[in-house]
DNA sequence: CCGATT
DNA sequence: AACGGCTAATCGG
């Protein structure tokens, strides 16, 4: 050991330590998988003071002389450098104040206000390690080259500890196949939710992406499975788990809701035995902290990913499932479900009985870890790519919302445009911003009816391409240099102007993202799905799209650093302009415009040929600026539009149905209503038979009436959006929750209420009970409600389009179902 | 029956 | 802790 070295490594995590100075620590691995800690003490904390340029000398002199004495030391600036920067496009004189320790910033910022010519202070709210990643442009999992000295430091369980002289980006190569460990715990829960103060952890399962599988438990049973390991007690279980983590030494740890359940639970149980999990590469303990209402669990140097958080924040808009529990998500993403036969709520009973029952729980637990690692295998390429585009740590990015992803992406790139990072808005700004609204997209009134040969077009990435084409940016709006800038269509009688001379910060970045994505798509077209690069490149393309599409929303987001309501309003104004223009053009060409929404246009060909439509779109595109393009989206043999916006169904040539907005896609409708609607749509659009559709409804009604429908099919999902006390109007789901609460069930805001309307007296709310209560008390669903308030309304809308009124439909059904509606 | 709430 | 547009059931006076 010892001596100068050049070391190439891939960072996985970052933090800093501070004693006399601050030292950045990069935790990572060499290509061969040797663990590395790289220490960089050359990076100096700083912030900016914006001042009146006329007072520059006086200001520098004043700041230079600031001294704050504390018990241990004297805090003062290390150096001051004058910069000409921009703050949201406006030129400013900024003094960069270098300090010794990151915590000095929050102390000095108070004294700095007295500076002559003081205007503002910025970048005080960027934490030190984030600052480092932004300034250095280092990306996680991407190769770095470090010059430095290998030092002996027993504090770290790493193969190499290097004190860096310099670190630079190597050739942008990405770390392949990190060792990932997934785990899941089962706890004793005799009264519903387990109580970490009393109820022990019963077993822990582990599954990795390299084949290691294990379940540890402390109650023996007749066992033939090789992955089961018995220990003597809960304490031994916790110790053994900790031992395995240390031995397997994973590069990433993943759990499902592990931030808010598994890790806090393990932590509290371990505390009881005065046991700690010293898993950090620096031998530090597993650390739990709060972020708003959520907990997060951190292991220094070993990124812990809570894949549930990632799915909920980033993936949810693309998922169909209404709940994000492991079963539903795995079912949709992997086509695989949790093990049958074990109900989460019954684990205590299974445990107490033991034997065969316990064996089932062990299998169940094993499967949970396996599903978690499989989800991770599927989603890790996306997390990895997003991490690199956003430019922050894996730990942070995997927990970010769309707004945060955009924010740190912009922060990373601001300096290249000489832009300072604006401060986070203070609370009072946020509340005024929340109350401000602006006009959104245009939705064309549909022509109700059934149509054939429908062509759908849409603008490729409408909002991103508008931002680029019209240079929409907080840095270019109301510029001083252009008398004749890009003028938006009128917005509430006014028009906003954007600079034509200088390309804005955000449009430049977005232009770059769009071009990068197009290049990737070109490559993807050429390579095979099995190609090693395919997964990475398609994840990259998806990650870029995600960021690009979220930028518009970020402009209108109340907590945004680059908030610009005028920008958001301008984008939608241009959007309305373009889609209306396309509608006009289509009409001029003699097409029958059926519908349009935001960025899409639906026309029916009638007696026209497809070539005429191609000519039309060609002409449209000839006249569109820059990156904007109207694309062919699809051709549909038949489609139905009801007398409402955002609700239609289309059938393609392969017999697939695409349904938008109708009950079928809504979670707040029962499965029976949705399935019936789907079957009716198929009968009408694919088979072309209303007769068949009527038969389907008749059959459903009969089955409902006979009590032959499962509870699952009559359950309705509605989210509890606030505390029960705070509801003014008591809807069915709230009413069900209130009744269940009296029986000891607890409810949190954000929780999904699954309820069933049962037979009995009173209003619909009075008759609504949560699914568990219905099962426990053997209540029966109310067929009248499901027929009249669920199934019939869902299909009546469709028949109305065919010219069949509600009464006529009921008549048709009645003739088939003698004497039912009496 | 109708506006407010969800 | 990303935007607005939109429909529709149900409550509650």
């Amino acid at each position: 050991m010892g001596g100068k070295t050049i070391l190439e490594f891939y960072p996985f995590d970052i933090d800093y330590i501070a004693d006399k100075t601050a030292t950045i620590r990069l935790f990572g691995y060499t290509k061969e998988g040797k663990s590395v800690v790289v220490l960089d003490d050359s990076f100096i904390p700083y912030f900016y003071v914006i001042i009146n340029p006329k007072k520059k000398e006086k200001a520098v002199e004043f700041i230079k002389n600031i001294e704050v004495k504390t018990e241990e030391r004297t805090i003062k600036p290390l150096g001051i450098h004058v910069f000409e920067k921009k703050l949201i496009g406006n030129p400013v004189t900024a003094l960069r104040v270098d300090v010794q320790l990151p915590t000095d910033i929050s102390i000095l910022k108070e004294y700095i206000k007295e500076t002559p010519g003081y205007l503002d202070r910025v970048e005080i709210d960027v934490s030190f390690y984030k600052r480092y990643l932004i300034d250095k442009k280092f990306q996680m999992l991407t190769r770095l080259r470090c010059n430095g000295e290998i030092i002996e430091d027993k504090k770290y369980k790493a193969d190499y500890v290097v004190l860096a002289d310099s670190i630079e980006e190597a050739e942008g190569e990405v770390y392949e196949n990190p060792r990932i460990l997934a785990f899941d715990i089962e706890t004793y829960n005799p009264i519903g939710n387990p109580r970490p103060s009393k109820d022990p952890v019963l077993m822990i399962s582990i599954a990795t992406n390299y084949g290691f599988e294990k379940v540890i438990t402390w109650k023996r049973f007749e066992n033939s499975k090789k992955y089961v390991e018995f220990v003597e007690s809960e304490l031994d279980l916790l110790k053994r788990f900790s031992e395995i983590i240390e031995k397997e030494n994973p590069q990433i740890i993943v759990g499902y809701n592990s931030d808010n359940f598994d890790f806090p639970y393990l932590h509290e149980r371990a505390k009881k035995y005065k046991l700690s999990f010293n898993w950090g590469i620096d031998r530090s303990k597993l650390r739990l902290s709060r972020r708003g209402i959520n907990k997060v669990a951190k292991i220094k140097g070993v990124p812990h990913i809570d894949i549930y958080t990632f799915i909920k924040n980033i993936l949810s808009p693309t998922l169909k499932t209404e709940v994000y529990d492991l079963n539903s998500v795995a079912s949709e993403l992997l086509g695989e479900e949790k093990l049958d036969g074990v109900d989460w709520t019954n684990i205590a009973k299974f445990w107490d009985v033991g034997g065969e029952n316990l064996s089932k729980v062990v299998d169940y637990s094993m499967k949970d870890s396996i599903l978690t690692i499989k989800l991770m295998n599927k989603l890790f390429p996306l997390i990895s790519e997003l991490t690199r585009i956003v430019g922050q740590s894996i730990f942070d990015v995997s927990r970010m919302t769309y707004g945060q992803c955009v924010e740190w992406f912009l922060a990373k790139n601001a300096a290249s445009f000489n832009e300072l990072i604006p401060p986070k808005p203070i609370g009072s700004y946020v509340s005024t911003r929340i109350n401000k609204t602006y006009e959104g997209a245009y939705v064309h009134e549909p022509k109700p009816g059934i149509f054939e040969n429908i062509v759908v077009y849409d603008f490729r990435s409408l909002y991103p391409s508008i931002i680029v084409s019209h240079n929409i940016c907080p840095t270019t709006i109301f510029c001083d240099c252009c008398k004749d800038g890009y003028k938006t269509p009128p917005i509430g009688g006014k028009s906003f102007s954007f600079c034509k001379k200088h390309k804005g910060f955000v449009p430049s970045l977005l232009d770059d993202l769009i071009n990068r994505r197009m290049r990737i798509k070109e490559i993807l077209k050429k390579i095979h799905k099995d190609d090693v690069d395919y997964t990475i490149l398609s994840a990259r393309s998806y990650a870029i799209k995600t960021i690009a599409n979220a930028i518009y929303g970020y402009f209108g987001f109340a907590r945004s650093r680059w908030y610009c309501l005028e920008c958001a309003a301008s984008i939608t104004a241009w959007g309305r302009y373009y889609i209306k223009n396309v509608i006009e053009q289509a009409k001029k060409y003699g097409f029958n415009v059926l519908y349009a929404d935001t960025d899409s246009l639906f026309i029916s060909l009638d007696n026209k040929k497809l070539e005429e439509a191609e000519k039309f779109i060609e002409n449209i595109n000839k006249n569109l600026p820059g990156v904007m393009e109207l694309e062919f989206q699809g051709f549909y043999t038949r489609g139905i539009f009801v007398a409402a916006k955002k609700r239609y169904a289309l059938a393609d040539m392969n017999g697939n149905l695409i349904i938008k907005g109708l009950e079928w896609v809504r979670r707040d409708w029962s499965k029976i209503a949705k399935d019936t609607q789907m079957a009716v749509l198929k009968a009408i659009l694919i088979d072309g038979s209303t007769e068949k559709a009527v038969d389907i409804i008749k059959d459903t009604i009969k089955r409902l009436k006979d009590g032959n429908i499962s509870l699952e099919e009559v359950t309705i999902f509605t989210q509890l959006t606030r505390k029960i006390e705070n509801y003014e109007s008591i809807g069915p789901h709230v009413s069900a929750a209130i009744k269940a609460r009296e029986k000891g069930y607890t409810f949190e805001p954000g929780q999904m209420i699954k309820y069933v309307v049962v037979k009995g007296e009173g209003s619909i709310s009075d008759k609504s009970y949560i699914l568990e209560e219905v099962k426990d008390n053997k209540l029966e669903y109310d067929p009248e409600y499901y027929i009249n308030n669920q199934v019939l309304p869902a299909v009546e809308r469709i028949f109305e389009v065919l010219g069949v009124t509600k009464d006529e439909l009921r008549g048709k059904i009645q003739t088939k179902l003698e004497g039912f509606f009496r």
Side-chain angles (χ1 to χ4, degrees):
Chain A
M1 292 285 235
K4 291 283 173 187
T5 188
I6 297 174
L7 182 88
E8 290 192 336
F9 74 106
Y10 300 79
F12 275 57
D13 198 16
I14 180 171
D15 76 346
Y16 75 92
I17 47 171
D19 42 56
K20 286 202 176 69
T21 57
T23 303
I24 286 285
R25 304 193 294 187
L26 290 163
F27 301 92
Y29 297 86
T30 64
K31 194 165 189 170
E32 295 73 35
K34 297 277 185 200
S35 59
V36 182
V37 179
V38 174
L39 305 171
D40 185 354
D41 60 7
S42 69
F43 191 67
I44 296 171
Y46 65 84
F47 66 102
Y48 289 101
V49 183
I50 297 172
I51 52 145
N52 179 343
K54 287 179 189 146
K55 303 273 173 68
K56 193 159 66 186
E57 281 76 23
K58 277 188 176 170
V60 172
E61 199 54 32
F62 177 86
I63 297 171
K64 213 185 263 177
N65 291 319
I66 294 178
E67 273 194 10
V68 185
K69 289 199 165 67
T70 68
E71 280 175 23
E72 301 112 43
R73 51 190 275 271
T74 304
I75 297 164
K76 56 181 189 181
L78 292 183
I80 300 155
H81 299 86
V82 185
F83 288 93
E84 297 304 321
K85 289 260 181 191
K86 288 181 191 166
L87 183 59
I88 315 193
N90 302 308
V92 292
T93 299
L95 307 182
R96 196 189 79 199
V97 182
D98 295 342
V99 298
Q100 203 168 358
L101 296 176
T103 47
D104 294 351
I105 295 171
S106 60
I107 295 164
L108 288 177
K109 73 174 192 211
E110 295 307 322
Y111 294 84
I112 223 90
K113 288 180 182 165
E114 306 304 319
T115 306
Y118 172 88
L119 296 172
D120 207 351
R121 50 186 195 195
V122 292
E123 303 202 4
I124 55 168
D125 52 4
V126 179
S127 60
F128 187 53
Y129 73 94
K130 283 200 169 92
R131 155 101 288 152
Y132 182 85
L133 290 175
I134 289 168
D135 287 17
K136 300 282 186 180
K137 293 224 160 53
F138 293 159
Q139 297 171 340
M140 293 291 131
L141 303 163
T142 309
R143 183 148 54 148
L144 299 178
R145 190 179 299 115
C146 158
N147 280 281
E149 189 185 342
I150 293 184
I151 58 166
E152 196 78 31
D153 195 337
K154 287 276 177 267
K155 192 167 97 185
Y156 298 102
K157 22 178 194 185
D159 296 311
Y160 305 110
V161 180
V162 183
L163 189 57
D165 294 325
S166 68
I167 308 172
E168 58 184 9
E169 216 179 318
E171 293 78 48
E173 208 182 290
V174 179
Y175 195 85
E176 283 172 35
N177 303 320
R179 291 192 315 276
I180 307 178
L181 181 148
F183 78 105
D184 180 51
I185 70 171
E186 308 302 332
T187 54
Y188 195 60
N189 54 349
I191 58 143
N193 280 334
R195 302 148 297 180
S197 56
K198 287 186 190 146
D199 300 325
V201 178
L202 306 178
M203 62 186 72
I204 303 176
S205 62
I206 295 161
T208 68
N209 63 347
Y210 52 89
F212 178 89
E213 291 178 358
K214 192 174 276 295
V215 184
I216 326 161
T217 184
W218 51 278
K219 188 167 181 179
R220 283 173 193 273
F221 60 90
E222 201 64 39
N223 168 54
S224 56
K225 293 182 187 84
K226 60 176 190 291
Y227 57 71
V228 182
E229 180 181 328
F230 295 110
V231 290
E232 295 307 316
S233 64
E234 186 194 18
L235 174 60
D236 286 349
L237 169 66
L238 299 175
K239 278 184 180 165
R240 181 67 183 127
F241 177 57
S242 188
E243 216 174 271
I244 291 174
I245 297 283
E246 300 212 23
K247 182 161 169 295
E248 292 303 315
N249 194 21
Q251 293 170 309
I252 292 172
I253 291 183
V254 59
Y256 205 89
N257 199 25
S258 39
D259 264 347
N260 281 292
F261 181 70
D262 302 64
F263 273 137
Y265 208 99
L266 285 175
H267 189 257
E268 183 151 357
R269 294 307 293 170
K271 211 164 71 185
K272 212 174 121 74
Y273 300 110
K274 300 202 166 36
L275 182 73
S276 59
F277 299 121
N278 304 319
W279 296 333
I281 299 293
D282 61 349
R283 300 179 201 279
S284 61
K285 293 179 199 171
L286 166 74
R287 217 191 62 185
L288 291 162
S289 51
R290 289 207 155 269
R291 273 188 190 179
I293 54 166
N294 289 314
K295 292 175 194 160
V296 293
K298 198 163 172 38
I299 304 164
K300 288 239 151 96
V302 187
H304 161 224
I305 294 176
D306 184 342
I307 196 84
Y308 164 74
T309 306
F310 179 75
I311 288 167
K312 198 164 51 100
N313 285 342
I314 300 299
L315 222 61
S316 53
T318 65
L319 296 180
K320 278 193 250 158
T321 171
E322 41 250 345
V323 281
Y324 301 111
D325 58 11
L326 180 57
N327 198 47
S328 318
V329 171
S331 162
E332 181 168 346
L333 289 175
L334 308 170
E336 213 176 317
E337 303 204 341
K338 283 170 77 128
L339 215 62
D340 242 359
V342 180
D343 182 1
W344 172 84
T345 52
N346 288 331
I347 284 181
K349 283 177 210 153
F350 278 81
W351 176 262
D352 290 338
V353 175
E356 195 53 31
N357 280 302
L358 196 46
S359 169
K360 267 191 210 154
V361 182
V362 166
D363 292 347
Y364 170 89
S365 179
M366 187 70 254
K367 182 78 191 239
D368 276 7
S369 281
I370 291 173
L371 290 178
T372 305
I373 196 71
K374 282 188 178 172
L375 279 176
M376 182 66 171
N377 287 341
K378 179 144 187 164
L379 299 179
F380 184 67
L382 178 57
I383 295 174
S384 162
E385 291 303 327
L386 210 50
T387 296
R388 275 195 293 277
I389 291 169
V390 172
Q392 288 299 326
S393 74
I394 301 170
F395 181 88
D396 286 341
V397 176
S398 68
R399 286 167 179 75
M400 283 181 186
T401 59
Y402 277 100
Q404 292 165 313
C405 285
V406 171
E407 187 143 292
W408 293 108
F409 166 76
L410 295 180
K412 169 189 169 186
N413 291 289
S416 321
F417 296 84
N418 205 29
E419 285 282 343
L420 293 163
I421 301 170
K424 271 192 234 168
I426 55 170
S428 61
Y429 284 13
V430 174
S431 25
T432 36
R433 287 177 180 185
I434 281 172
N435 295 323
K436 285 191 179 173
T437 56
Y438 60 92
E439 191 179 344
Y442 172 71
V443 187
H444 192 67
E445 196 66 49
K447 288 190 176 163
I450 293 193
F451 301 92
E452 300 194 334
N453 300 330
I454 299 168
V455 189
V456 179
Y457 295 107
D458 54 22
F459 281 99
R460 188 213 316 136
S461 307
L462 178 66
Y463 288 174
S465 63
I466 285 175
I467 295 172
V468 172
S469 304
H470 298 281
N471 205 22
I472 292 169
C473 187
T475 67
T476 57
I477 192 167
F478 311 129
C479 72
D480 298 326
C481 60
C482 298
K483 270 195 184 137
D484 192 26
Y486 292 105
K487 295 265 192 302
T488 63
I491 300 166
K494 276 185 287 184
S495 171
F496 299 128
S497 171
F498 292 86
C499 188
K500 261 187 180 168
K501 288 182 186 153
H502 307 104
K503 202 162 176 181
F505 159 53
V506 178
S508 300
L509 290 173
L510 209 38
D511 198 9
D512 187 48
L513 286 180
I514 291 170
N515 288 321
R516 259 165 78 191
R517 182 151 184 262
M518 289 204 287
R519 285 201 301 274
I520 293 168
K521 291 212 130 182
E522 283 306 310
I523 301 170
L524 281 171
K525 267 187 216 160
K526 288 179 199 147
I527 63 176
H528 193 261
K529 274 197 169 167
D530 301 329
D531 196 297
V532 281
D533 292 333
Y534 194 91
T535 316
I536 290 180
L537 288 178
S538 51
R540 188 168 299 166
S541 162
Y542 187 82
I544 292 172
K545 185 172 125 185
T546 300
I547 299 285
N549 286 342
I551 287 178
Y552 147 71
Y554 179 77
F555 281 148
F557 170 40
R559 290 173 193 275
S560 161
R561 289 179 193 250
W562 278 276
Y563 176 82
C564 179
L565 198 77
E566 295 87 348
C567 294
S570 301
I571 296 162
T572 56
W574 279 116
R576 294 191 296 273
Y577 167 85
Y578 282 112
I579 195 67
K580 283 181 183 172
N581 186 263
V582 166
I583 293 168
E584 283 315 305
Q585 296 293 322
K587 282 182 181 165
K588 269 192 195 152
Y589 269 77
F591 287 110
N592 186 11
V593 174
L594 304 178
Y595 182 59
D597 180 357
T598 313
D599 58 354
S600 61
L601 175 76
F602 298 63
I603 58 176
S604 67
L605 286 181
D606 294 337
N607 48 7
K608 289 188 179 300
K609 293 207 179 72
L610 202 56
E611 290 85 72
E612 290 180 75
E614 275 160 10
K615 216 166 163 193
F616 153 74
I617 190 175
E618 214 172 273
N619 218 341
I620 291 280
N621 281 323
K622 219 163 34 187
N623 295 311
L624 284 174
V627 290
M628 293 197 64
E629 195 182 334
L630 190 68
E631 286 181 320
F632 172 79
Q633 190 273 329
F635 177 80
Y636 301 92
T637 47
R638 237 183 231 147
I640 184 168
F641 291 86
V642 305
K645 294 171 176 180
K646 295 186 185 284
R647 298 181 150 233
Y648 57 87
L650 302 168
D652 70 13
M653 287 187 283
N654 306 319
N656 300 315
L657 268 194
I658 290 157
I659 304 179
K660 298 281 179 189
L662 292 166
E663 283 71 10
W664 166 252
V665 298
R666 301 188 59 96
R667 68 175 172 211
D668 50 356
W669 281 78
S670 60
K671 190 165 184 298
I672 188 67
K674 296 197 282 191
D675 285 350
T676 311
Q677 182 179 64
M678 172 66 126
V680 164
L681 285 169
K682 271 191 179 155
I684 291 170
L685 292 180
I686 296 169
D687 307 327
S689 164
T690 47
E691 190 69 8
K692 192 174 167 187
V694 173
D695 283 346
I696 289 163
I697 301 167
K698 183 206 74 179
D699 179 59
T700 305
I701 290 174
K702 187 168 185 318
R703 281 170 46 222
L704 269 166
K705 195 85 176 127
D706 296 345
N708 285 336
I709 301 288
S710 70
L711 281 180
E712 191 211 359
E713 289 172 282
V714 290
T715 304
I716 299 167
F717 293 76
T718 308
Q719 198 185 29
L720 207 62
T721 57
R722 52 182 83 174
K723 283 187 180 170
I724 291 173
E725 299 76 44
N726 298 345
Y727 276 93
E728 291 178 43
S729 171
I730 309 298
H733 68 299
V734 184
S735 172
I738 290 172
K739 278 173 282 192
R741 192 165 63 168
E742 287 161 11
K743 296 272 161 59
Y745 289 91
T746 54
F747 297 95
E748 304 282 323
Q751 193 176 332
M752 198 60 70
I753 305 294
K754 303 179 205 173
Y755 70 93
V756 175
V757 178
V758 303
K759 285 178 182 165
E761 294 298 306
S763 69
I764 291 161
S765 285
D766 292 338
K767 299 195 290 177
S768 298
Y769 289 85
I770 66 163
L771 183 60
E772 286 91 336
E773 272 207 274
V774 174
K775 283 183 184 165
D776 288 347
N777 302 324
K778 301 214 166 22
L779 300 173
E780 287 175 57
Y781 70 79
D782 177 12
E784 300 295 326
Y785 171 80
Y786 286 96
I787 293 165
N788 294 315
N789 297 41
Q790 292 275 322
V791 172
L792 285 176
V795 293
E796 275 163 2
R797 282 182 256 290
I798 293 161
F799 277 90
E800 257 167 36
V801 173
L802 302 169
V804 181
T805 65
K806 290 176 190 183
D807 289 339
E808 282 167 353
L809 176 65
R810 284 176 193 237
K812 274 178 196 281
I813 295 164
Q814 192 167 23
T815 55
K816 298 221 168 203
L817 203 70
E818 266 317 303
F820 175 71
F821 284 109
R822 248 185 271 130

